[in-house]
Amino acid sequence: MEDDKSLLKPQQGLHPEDNSRRNFLKQSTLLTAVALTPVAAVKAAESHMDEKIAEAFEKLPLKMEVNGVAKSLQVEPRATLLDILREQLDLTGTKKGCDHGQCGACTVHVDGHRVNSCLTLGIMVNGKKITTIEGLAKGDDLHPMQEAFLKHDGFQCGYCTPGQIMSAVACIREGHANSEMEIREYMSGNICRCGAYPNIVNAIQEVKEGGIAV
Amino acid sequence: MTNKNGLTRVDGRLKVTGAIKYAAEYKFPGLVYGVVVSSTIAKGEITGIDSKAAEKSPGVIAVISHLNAPKIPGYDRKPNDFDPNIKTFNDSKIYFYGQPVALVIADSFERAKHAATLVKVSYQKQQQQTSLTANLQNSYKPWGDGSDYLRGEANAYRNASVKIEAEYHTPIHVHNAMEPFAMTAVWDGDKITVYTKAQAIKSMQQDIMNMFKLPIENVQVYSKVIGGAFGSGSPLWPYAKAALIGAKVINKPLKVVIDREQMFTMVGYRSPAVQKIGMGASADGKLVGITHEATGETSTYQQFGEGITDTTKFLYDCPNVNTQYRLTRLDLSTPTYTRGPGETTGVFALECAVDELAHALNMDPLEFRKKNYADHDPEENKPWSSKYLDECYSLGAEHFGWDRRKQKPASVIENGWLVGYGVGSGAYGAGRANCSARAKLSADGILLIQSSTSDMGPGTATVMVKIASDIIDIPVENIRFELGSSALPAAPGEYGSITTSSVGSAVFDTCTELKEKFKQIAGGTDNPDYLKILKEHNLPFVEVTHHTSGRAPDADKYSAHAYVTHFVEAHVHPATGMVKIKKVVSAVDGGKILNPITARSQIIGGVVWGIGMSLTEEGVLDHRYGKYVNANLGDYHVATHADVPQIEVVFVDKKDPVTNPMGSKGIGEVAIVGFAAAVANAVFNATGIRVRDLPITPDKLI
Amino acid sequence: MKQFQYIRPATQQNVLDAITKSGTKIIAGGTNLVDLMKRGVTAPDKLVDINHLPLKGITPTKSGLHIGALALNSVVSENALVLQKHPLLSLALKAGASPQLRNMATVGGNMMQRTRCTYFYDTTMPCNKREPGTGCGAMEGYNRMHAIFGASQQCIAVHPSDMCVGLAALDAVVIIAGKKGERRIPFVDFHRLPEDHPETDNHLAKDELIVGVEIPDNNFAKNSYYLKVRDRQSYAFALVSVAAALDISGGLIKQARLAMGGVAHKPWRLYDAEKSLVGKAPTEENFKVAAQIAMQGAKAYEYNAFKLKLAPASISEALKHAAGVV
């Protein structure tokens, strides 16, 4: 991966350890750059301009492709891919179950590989291709794994389902769906509290045995 | 889609595409985010809250606590059983670790979350008590004399020729639904609309009306889909009160989602229990007496009790039964209904004890159960509405291959693993409640049925469409069932395995009335051609609303329960103590099975819960702090894919003539009852080691 | 999580320059670091993203196999050379975490992961590792997962990695880059015991970067095994784990390597037990003797006494699997 120089620029002079926006602005070399006069600075403070400026400089540009669509965003470095998908892009199919990599509900594909989006900082997928549950079907045609989940009743409440399906597709692609035992082991990063596990395994086996490329 | 196993989920497509919207997924212009700050002591008073740093933090709109919250009109009301009575932000008192003490509202989730860490709360701490076993001596009778039960002679087991006495311990179980609890609250003047997870939509509407003293038309509750609840989704929890207050204060749409740790402290859990059972039989295996004493816990501010000893009173034919139930008040949040509430805990002990006594008698445990079969309800002295538990025994045994079981423990080894078979049975009341439904068949051919029930996963809408389609003969894909809104005709909460029976009866009656109405319009034909009738009479639609009583005709004359028998093959590694469940057959008497595909999933789900309960799940507290040490999904182990084998579900599938017009009995709760005992019994059969305190982790078998 | 600065320096040298400042942390897979940041256990001012550095390769060297620090756990576990030369490492990796996490986690990051001790993770609890001088919450608390070897009065936490147990058993060497160039240290000396400074997990200096590990060629491929005993079948940390590797020739053990996880602040090599096996036949009796030797000096706490039985049983069991005498 190339070093993205544009990432470095806006952070000059940033003092993130300081929580006060006002202090930040006083210290910031950016202030001189925008050449605010004292009067303007007071006005800016009154209208919370300081926070708006601070906010602009706390955010970094993030370019990624989500479900085939190029996205260009400004994000705080601390924002996870999960929260960016759900809160900024309104792609709420990807679920927050535990927010700590312990349940798999947030599973998405990054450059074709399944990962926990709750532990992925958004800024770190700059330039990558993301596939979420919303990107699996082709128009009205469901992905074979989605069809199989429907047929085998591979869910009840449906909350873990997007993560299960994204993981199931990856499980087959990785070549880890060769037996019931192997599927169970390689699906164990996806918790289903409703307990649809046997149905999910059946769905995956059917898709695998169907031989259609997933 | 209909196949030989029934109707696949009518909302399935929305779920597999990620399109369905859960409580935290509704967008509004200007929506802001709330994060709940939890108490870091278990008992005492808040002496101060320093929120300056949080308020100065970027994007923060407000920090709300008892210090600045408005007076809530409904907080002067007396508490009742369904209101957990934590009056969020009302005063400084702390009742449990993790109690909401402040709400931080900001313009983004990240900013609210960070600012919440900047709120500094100071406390005057008092010594908390959070251990059930250390406080058993402080237990009390929760329901007065109704806490105890006696039939025949008390403690008669002691005089039996063969007897056992044992003490069983079950830990805290946390529902841990995958969807964290969330409330999106939108005020418009004195009108409030909320999007949340509500098992009981109408009672949540009532709770909000009570809280703010609002008329019914001012409170709208939406709960279109629930990402699991398992009993935790009924009350207006303290976090939700915080959301309602917060949204009111800032007058903006507000979303509050609690985190996984807060899922352990803020939305209930299954009470731990200590149970003693004495059981005795004659030498030929006829029960003489059962004594069952149970103690659970409740909070200091509210009583929650459950029927831990209930099943003991009627599951077997036994002349002498005495039970007692006690509670101990601890500095924890109040427990709540948790899948198979009461029965799950109590039947674990009962069915282990049955196995222990059968072993003492050197009898096959299934034969022992058959020998003590209750052919009428010995507690109520009534006939059963229907009872095919005996068929569960025989069908299950046949499918499982029970005849291969060796009576002598630790006598089978396969590939270095000890192999054991175990059985456990259970029952759960087949209840029903009042329910209304509306059905409207329009000229476009769509039949819309509405009721304010919920779906936390079992497939409520799917089974209702199935019930309707059996009455109104139109293509099933033209039938819609709408739920999840308090504006719809009143339905009971989705709990206690009553939904199919209650809402289903209302749908049955409503559709039957609709059909009748069409017949009347058309002048009495048995199979009305609905669309033709609408066209001929130039009607845009025909609509009926029907209220169905929760009391089935003659229901009082019978005792109604669903039954299950679980058969389990467990493999235990003798050196490391690891347990693998290799095979499960669950035979179920759930009356007529209305939609086998989703019914089977409910049973499987209960079994998976049972696997967690028996082998891995335990909420652990550090009593020095009164705090969980495993309040996350990495350390609180629910079952994973790898823990769960194929599960064979066998339905007796025979109509119950009393419960409801469909002949069904609810199965969501009974699915888990008795399973943990089946595992413990299988582990005993494999190893000769009797584990009486759950979960059966490797350390207990080496 | 507090705000922080995020940078992605172009070269390894730039990374080394960037990490000298205090409050700076390297991020690779982030599976542990982001978790710790979310919980407020660590709050760096600056994150240095190194994922683009060319440290992903898995290549044979003159006398061993080099694995780059940024090689993903999933990639290493399925790499043909790893499977052929060091199947034990593959088994250990696959026993850890979940497929998703292994797709994110790197070899270097895995080595740097912190303990999963609940008192360390919970910022309201005392913990000398997180906040020196606050005491050890686990010592008198819920210590079921905790150490039986090498603990101190300050800390009884265990290192959570499976991969590291495998690498410790396989005599791996850690390659570390610093301002003055590269240095190599034995894997077993990379992590440290808590002693009086439990806040320090290992011997990596603040201005250094792990660039890879190297596993010397050996004769263990035919007879090795990784046994992990845990509370559920997958996706759980070890109660006890054992990496066992045997070089068996002519019916006798020529060399043995044993390491344990879930028992100490670092992957725990069982040197005396290894020695006891050399020259012996691979029998259950000999394995049991070795397992007993391995337990010398073990000390349990209120909730983890079972490990005194589980550990030797697991050692013996792992050796049986390695030797193929199950």
Side-chain angles (χ1 to χ4, degrees):
Chain A
M1 190 192 300
E2 297 280 305
D3 175 29
D4 187 344
K5 293 246 164 47
S6 69
L7 287 175
L8 294 171
K9 266 191 179 166
Q11 296 155 347
Q12 306 290 327
L14 184 63
H15 299 273
E17 65 274 17
D18 188 336
N19 282 311
S20 159
R21 294 307 98 192
R22 287 151 192 88
N23 290 346
F24 160 73
L25 277 183
K26 277 177 207 155
Q27 292 164 10
S28 174
T29 54
L30 290 163
L31 261 188
T32 44
V34 292
L36 286 176
T37 65
V39 176
V42 170
K43 276 190 178 167
E46 281 170 354
S47 61
H48 297 282
M49 276 296 288
D50 50 353
E51 290 202 359
K52 284 171 190 156
I53 294 169
E55 186 181 316
F57 285 98
E58 274 183 351
K59 289 189 175 179
L60 298 177
L62 165 62
K63 287 185 182 4
M64 57 180 173
E65 191 182 304
V66 182
N67 300 329
V69 180
K71 299 281 178 188
S72 189
L73 304 166
Q74 293 286 321
V75 300
E76 290 182 351
R78 66 181 163 183
T80 61
L81 177 57
L82 173 62
D83 287 323
I84 292 168
L85 290 170
R86 284 174 64 84
E87 306 300 338
Q88 293 198 42
L89 298 176
D90 203 22
L91 290 168
T92 53
T94 305
K95 302 302 182 196
K96 183 181 283 190
C98 71
D99 213 17
H100 291 278
Q102 297 172 336
C103 80
C106 67
T107 303
V108 300
H109 297 175
V110 174
D111 285 347
H113 299 288
R114 53 172 156 164
V115 302
N116 298 102
S117 63
C118 73
L119 293 181
T120 303
L121 296 175
I123 195 64
M124 289 174 69
V125 300
N126 192 46
K128 299 194 182 207
K129 291 183 173 152
I130 316 299
T131 308
T132 71
I133 188 72
E134 290 93 343
L136 217 51
K138 295 214 166 32
D140 281 347
D141 294 334
L142 294 181
H143 185 280
M145 192 62 76
Q146 292 171 313
E147 290 283 7
F149 267 63
L150 271 176
K151 179 180 164 189
H152 290 277
D153 210 34
F155 55 94
Q156 289 199 50
C157 82
Y159 197 80
C160 75
T161 312
Q164 298 278 357
I165 291 176
M166 297 311 289
S167 211
V169 170
C171 184
I172 291 183
R173 284 185 190 159
E174 291 162 4
H176 290 139
N178 299 305
S179 69
E180 255 186 64
M181 288 289 281
E182 190 183 25
I183 292 170
R184 284 192 198 118
E185 174 56 33
Y186 278 86
M187 287 298 293
S188 281
N190 291 82
I191 306 286
C192 170
R193 189 55 160 158
C194 296
Y197 296 130
N199 296 350
I200 293 170
V201 171
N202 292 345
I204 296 171
Q205 277 199 301
E206 181 175 282
V207 175
K208 159 80 179 165
E209 282 157 17
I212 311 164
V214 295
Chain B
M1 185 172 58
T2 309
N3 63 28
K4 65 176 166 47
N5 295 318
L7 184 62
T8 58
R9 286 168 196 269
V10 296
D11 51 359
R13 195 182 170 92
L14 290 173
K15 286 184 174 176
V16 300
T17 55
I20 203 161
K21 294 271 181 208
Y22 294 83
E25 297 168 355
Y26 289 86
K27 275 241 164 183
F28 297 93
L31 178 74
V32 294
Y33 298 78
V35 168
V36 176
V37 180
S38 312
S39 71
T40 54
I41 63 162
K43 187 181 185 183
E45 300 265 343
I46 301 170
T47 53
I49 297 180
D50 177 1
S51 57
K52 279 192 220 74
E55 281 159 15
K56 275 205 293 186
S57 188
V60 171
I61 295 159
V63 179
I64 297 165
S65 69
H66 72 286
L67 297 176
N68 60 1
K71 188 173 152 39
I72 302 303
Y75 275 179
D76 54 10
R77 280 175 56 91
K78 281 199 162 178
N80 63 53
D81 278 354
F82 292 94
D83 182 353
N85 189 28
I86 286 288
K87 295 173 178 171
T88 307
F89 304 154
N90 189 55
D91 55 41
S92 58
K93 198 149 187 244
I94 298 299
Y95 301 90
F96 60 90
Y97 206 117
Q99 183 181 324
V101 293
L103 180 72
V104 177
I105 303 173
D107 60 0
S108 80
F109 168 71
E110 290 82 8
R111 289 170 155 198
K113 189 86 179 166
H114 176 60
T117 67
L118 304 175
V119 177
K120 301 295 168 218
V121 184
S122 45
Y123 300 96
Q124 186 181 25
K125 193 177 177 307
Q126 292 165 28
Q127 182 57 46
Q128 74 281 345
Q129 293 297 329
T130 54
S131 164
L132 174 61
T133 48
N135 288 280
L136 284 173
Q137 73 283 2
N138 299 324
S139 63
Y140 70 99
K141 289 185 179 186
W143 303 313
D145 290 345
S147 311
D148 295 348
Y149 171 79
L150 173 63
R151 175 166 83 237
E153 184 193 332
N155 301 320
Y157 77 91
R158 287 177 187 160
N159 307 320
S161 52
V162 181
K163 65 184 180 221
I164 60 106
E165 286 177 334
E167 185 171 308
Y168 303 90
H169 289 233
T170 49
I172 286 173
H173 294 143
V174 184
H175 308 79
N176 268 317
M178 295 312 295
E179 182 199 9
F181 272 82
M183 178 173 276
T184 306
V186 186
W187 284 93
D188 176 11
D190 59 355
K191 289 192 167 153
I192 175 75
T193 303
V194 300
Y195 303 79
T196 190
K197 0 194 325 179
Q199 277 177 253
I201 289 171
K202 292 301 284 183
S203 79
M204 181 165 298
Q205 180 188 38
Q206 187 66 52
D207 287 344
I208 297 172
M209 287 159 57
N210 292 345
M211 181 171 168
F212 292 97
K213 295 198 169 160
L214 293 172
I216 191 165
E217 59 273 18
N218 284 27
V219 178
Q220 171 63 45
V221 176
Y222 287 112
S223 187
K224 288 288 178 183
V225 61
I226 296 174
F230 312 105
S232 63
S234 295
L236 186 67
W237 292 114
Y239 91 89
K241 293 179 183 175
L244 289 164
I245 295 169
K248 182 90 184 154
V249 168
I250 60 162
N251 197 25
K252 283 182 180 175
L254 171 69
K255 171 158 91 179
V256 175
V257 186
I258 63 172
D259 64 26
R260 185 53 60 181
E261 184 173 353
Q262 293 171 332
M263 290 285 281
F264 282 70
T265 55
M266 288 188 189
V267 290
Y269 57 92
R270 189 197 302 282
S271 166
V274 174
Q275 301 180 72
K276 287 181 183 171
I277 290 197
M279 195 181 281
S282 59
D284 65 346
K286 188 75 197 72
L287 276 168
V288 170
I290 308 174
T291 297
H292 186 174
E293 298 170 354
T295 307
E297 76 186 27
T298 190
S299 66
T300 56
Y301 57 89
Q302 186 192 15
Q303 175 170 304
F304 175 84
E306 52 188 356
I308 293 183
T309 58
D310 285 0
T311 313
T312 303
K313 301 168 190 169
F314 68 80
L315 193 60
Y316 295 105
D317 180 38
C318 180
N320 305 297
V321 174
N322 60 305
T323 70
Q324 71 169 43
Y325 177 58
R326 299 289 181 269
L327 284 176
T328 295
R329 292 198 185 275
L330 296 176
D331 299 306
L332 291 166
S333 61
T334 315
T336 195
Y337 306 97
T338 309
R339 199 162 196 177
E343 280 79 352
T344 298
T345 304
V347 172
F348 161 67
L350 176 67
E351 287 291 276
C352 282
V354 163
D355 200 74
E356 297 203 41
L357 185 55
H359 180 73
L361 287 157
N362 197 26
M363 268 181 90
D364 178 286
L366 201 57
E367 289 307 312
F368 178 62
R369 284 174 175 84
K370 287 178 187 169
K371 182 144 191 160
N372 293 287
Y373 198 74
D375 51 19
H376 76 288
D377 183 343
E379 178 194 3
E380 309 240 339
N381 205 17
K382 283 177 183 174
W384 307 112
S385 63
S386 65
K387 181 181 178 183
Y388 300 108
L389 180 57
D390 49 353
E391 293 195 31
C392 293
Y393 293 161
S394 54
L395 271 174
E398 185 194 327
H399 283 252
F400 182 81
W402 182 254
D403 55 354
R404 288 174 297 156
R405 175 183 180 274
K406 301 276 182 280
Q407 175 72 11
K408 187 169 175 282
S411 52
V412 183
I413 293 190
E414 278 176 26
N415 303 320
W417 291 68
L418 293 159
V419 177
Y421 290 0
V423 65
S425 265
Y428 198 90
R432 186 175 147 184
N434 295 341
C435 185
S436 298
R438 179 162 55 227
K440 178 178 175 179
L441 182 53
S442 306
D444 60 3
I446 300 296
L447 170 62
L448 175 67
I449 305 163
Q450 297 170 308
S451 185
S452 63
T453 181
S454 306
D455 184 8
M456 57 174 162
T460 311
T462 308
V463 75
M464 295 310 152
V465 167
K466 189 85 178 355
I467 290 168
S469 74
D470 288 341
I471 300 163
I472 308 284
D473 185 19
I474 62 170
V476 73
E477 52 276 14
N478 287 354
I479 305 176
R480 311 279 148 78
F481 184 82
E482 188 187 355
L483 50 68
S485 162
S486 58
L488 302 174
E494 183 167 70
Y495 42 57
S497 280
I498 63 167
T499 299
T500 299
S501 202
S502 311
V503 186
S505 294
V507 169
F508 184 97
D509 288 351
T510 306
C511 288
T512 304
E513 194 181 317
L514 183 69
K515 188 173 177 176
E516 285 302 318
K517 204 160 175 179
F518 270 94
K519 282 196 218 169
Q520 281 168 20
I521 295 168
T525 159
D526 268 358
N527 281 309
D529 183 337
Y530 300 99
L531 296 187
K532 202 171 148 204
I533 295 168
L534 286 174
K535 204 171 176 188
E536 279 173 1
H537 293 80
N538 202 19
L539 294 166
F541 61 85
V542 172
E543 178 183 296
V544 299
T545 302
H546 187 98
H547 175 79
T548 295
S549 165
R551 192 170 294 232
D554 292 333
D556 293 350
K557 296 180 193 160
Y558 299 93
S559 176
H561 302 270
Y563 299 90
V564 67
T565 307
H566 300 287
F567 295 82
V568 169
E569 178 179 332
H571 290 208
V572 183
H573 195 277
T576 62
M578 285 189 289
V579 180
K580 289 183 184 174
I581 308 288
K582 281 290 188 181
K583 184 176 178 177
V584 176
V585 173
S586 296
V588 182
D589 168 18
K592 177 73 188 160
I593 299 303
L594 303 180
N595 195 40
I597 182 170
T598 46
R600 178 176 169 274
S601 292
Q602 271 194 285
I603 302 300
I604 288 174
V607 167
V608 172
W609 266 63
I611 291 174
M613 176 181 174
S614 54
L615 298 181
T616 59
E617 289 186 43
E618 178 178 18
V620 182
L621 293 155
D622 185 329
H623 298 300
R624 298 173 302 169
Y625 306 95
K627 184 179 193 191
Y628 282 96
V629 292
N630 65 343
N632 61 73
L633 288 176
D635 296 319
Y636 182 98
H637 296 122
V638 306
T640 68
H641 273 279
D643 297 285
V644 178
Q646 287 291 342
I647 296 161
E648 186 180 353
V649 179
V650 188
F651 289 114
V652 175
D653 198 17
K654 287 185 179 166
K655 223 175 153 167
D656 183 295
V658 176
T659 49
N660 57 55
M662 296 82 66
S664 68
K665 300 192 276 192
I667 55 170
E669 311 272 18
V670 82
I672 183 181
V673 181
F675 189 84
V679 174
N681 297 341
V683 166
F684 174 75
N685 185 240
T687 63
I689 300 170
R690 176 64 67 180
V691 180
R692 298 186 183 89
D693 57 328
L694 295 181
I696 307 171
T697 44
D699 49 300
K700 295 175 186 171
L701 294 171
I702 55 169
Chain C
M1 200 191 299
K2 82 168 193 190
Q3 271 290 32
F4 52 83
Q5 191 181 355
Y6 168 86
I7 60 167
R8 199 185 309 173
T11 64
Q12 184 172 312
Q13 190 53 52
N14 294 151
V15 168
L16 289 171
D17 292 340
I19 58 177
T20 50
K21 210 181 155 199
S22 72
T24 301
K25 287 227 181 271
I26 290 171
I27 185 162
T31 55
N32 189 211
L33 182 59
V34 174
D35 188 19
L36 292 167
M37 288 164 68
K38 283 187 175 188
R39 295 185 196 270
V41 177
T42 185
D45 299 324
K46 186 193 279 189
L47 280 192
V48 180
D49 185 350
I50 61 166
N51 282 291
H52 54 289
L53 296 184
L55 300 172
K56 288 189 168 66
I58 302 172
T59 47
T61 64
K62 253 190 288 176
S63 57
L65 185 67
H66 176 94
I67 302 174
L70 288 170
L72 296 177
N73 283 190
S74 55
V75 170
V76 177
S77 73
E78 312 224 333
N79 177 273
L81 286 169
V82 171
L83 287 167
Q84 178 206 328
K85 288 168 168 266
H86 310 293
L88 173 60
L89 176 60
S90 175
L91 286 176
L93 279 162
K94 287 175 179 175
S98 72
Q100 290 95 313
L101 291 166
R102 297 198 293 268
N103 270 346
M104 304 168 73
T106 63
V107 167
N110 191 317
M111 291 165 63
M112 295 301 290
Q113 69 178 308
R114 313 296 310 269
T115 182
R116 304 287 162 157
C117 172
T118 185
Y119 299 93
F120 172 72
Y121 260 73
D122 185 338
T123 53
T124 67
M125 295 280 196
C127 173
N128 288 324
K129 182 181 276 297
R130 189 185 66 249
E131 229 180 312
T134 55
C136 173
M139 193 83 70
E140 307 285 327
Y142 188 67
N143 41 38
R144 181 165 178 269
M145 301 299 287
H146 289 73
I148 53 172
F149 292 113
S152 73
Q153 283 305 306
Q154 302 289 318
C155 178
I156 61 172
V158 299
H159 194 262
S161 170
D162 292 298
M163 180 197 80
C164 292
V165 179
L167 287 172
L170 292 169
D171 296 324
V173 171
V174 188
I175 305 155
I176 294 167
K179 286 245 160 105
K180 293 174 202 153
E182 281 190 3
R183 67 182 179 111
R184 297 163 73 91
I185 58 170
F187 195 93
V188 288
D189 294 334
F190 179 79
H191 296 98
R192 58 183 293 283
L193 291 176
E195 298 171 331
D196 287 335
H197 288 284
E199 71 279 10
T200 308
D201 291 347
N202 55 55
H203 293 293
L204 188 75
K206 287 216 182 305
D207 57 356
E208 290 182 318
L209 174 72
I210 304 169
V211 293
V213 294
E214 198 169 304
I215 310 173
D217 289 336
N218 59 46
N219 290 319
F220 298 129
K222 264 196 294 181
N223 292 104
S224 62
Y225 194 72
Y226 190 75
L227 175 72
K228 185 173 183 181
V229 183
R230 44 187 156 176
D231 282 327
R232 62 181 174 193
Q233 300 293 315
S234 187
Y235 207 7
F237 289 100
L239 295 169
V240 158
S241 69
V242 182
L246 297 171
D247 175 359
I248 303 173
S249 170
L252 294 177
I253 298 167
K254 286 176 70 184
Q255 282 194 83
R257 297 289 181 273
L258 283 167
M260 293 191 85
V263 294
H265 195 258
K266 58 186 284 187
W268 193 248
R269 267 289 288 268
L270 313 175
Y271 295 107
D272 291 343
E274 291 170 12
K275 269 186 226 146
S276 81
L277 288 166
V278 175
K280 302 266 172 61
T283 63
E284 185 165 1
E285 294 71 47
N286 289 329
F287 295 157
K288 282 190 170 160
V289 170
Q292 283 314 317
I293 291 170
M295 294 308 292
Q296 283 166 12
K299 176 183 185 297
Y301 300 86
E302 184 176 358
Y303 292 95
N304 71 350
F306 71 93
K307 289 190 180 182
L308 299 180
K309 278 175 85 177
L310 182 60
S314 302
I315 293 167
S316 177
E317 192 63 23
L319 283 166
K320 280 161 68 183
H321 278 276
V325 295
V326 181

